[in-house]
Amino acid sequence: MEYWEKDMKSQGYGMLLTSTQADEQAQHFYRKLGYKDCGGFVIDIPKYAQPMELFFIKNI
């Protein structure tokens, strides 16, 4: 368990949620740490378009 996960657990949290864009390498980092995919969204309005945002969850 990473330092910040231990810190969150010591504060009474039982799960963590984080996110990253689908075109970033961070998604692989979170999966290696035991996070599971739990959803995402796409903003496809031309002026605001960006890659899909992926959400990850982990029980601590």
Side-chain angles (χ1 to χ4, degrees), residues 21-35:
Q21 288 186 330
D23 65 344
E24 296 177 334
Q25 292 297 313
Q27 63 179 296
H28 306 294
F29 170 76
Y30 288 121
R31 289 182 186 119
K32 281 185 177 182
L33 292 178
Y35 287 78

Side-chain angles (χ1 to χ4, degrees), residues 2-58:
E2 300 296 310
Y3 171 80
W4 74 279
E5 294 173 340
K6 289 178 184 175
D7 184 45
M8 297 302 284
K9 188 171 185 169
S10 74
Q11 293 181 52
Y13 294 96
M15 77 169 186
L16 300 173
L17 180 71
T18 191
S19 71
T20 187
Q21 288 186 330
D23 65 344
E24 296 177 334
Q25 292 297 313
Q27 63 179 296
H28 306 294
F29 170 76
Y30 288 121
R31 289 182 186 119
K32 281 185 177 182
L33 292 178
Y35 287 78
K36 295 181 180 181
D37 295 58
C38 68
F41 67 85
V42 174
I43 298 174
D44 62 357
I45 298 170
K47 186 176 176 181
Y48 305 100
Q50 57 184 316
M52 180 179 216
E53 188 74 14
L54 301 172
F55 290 94
F56 299 92
I57 195 165
K58 184 176 181 180

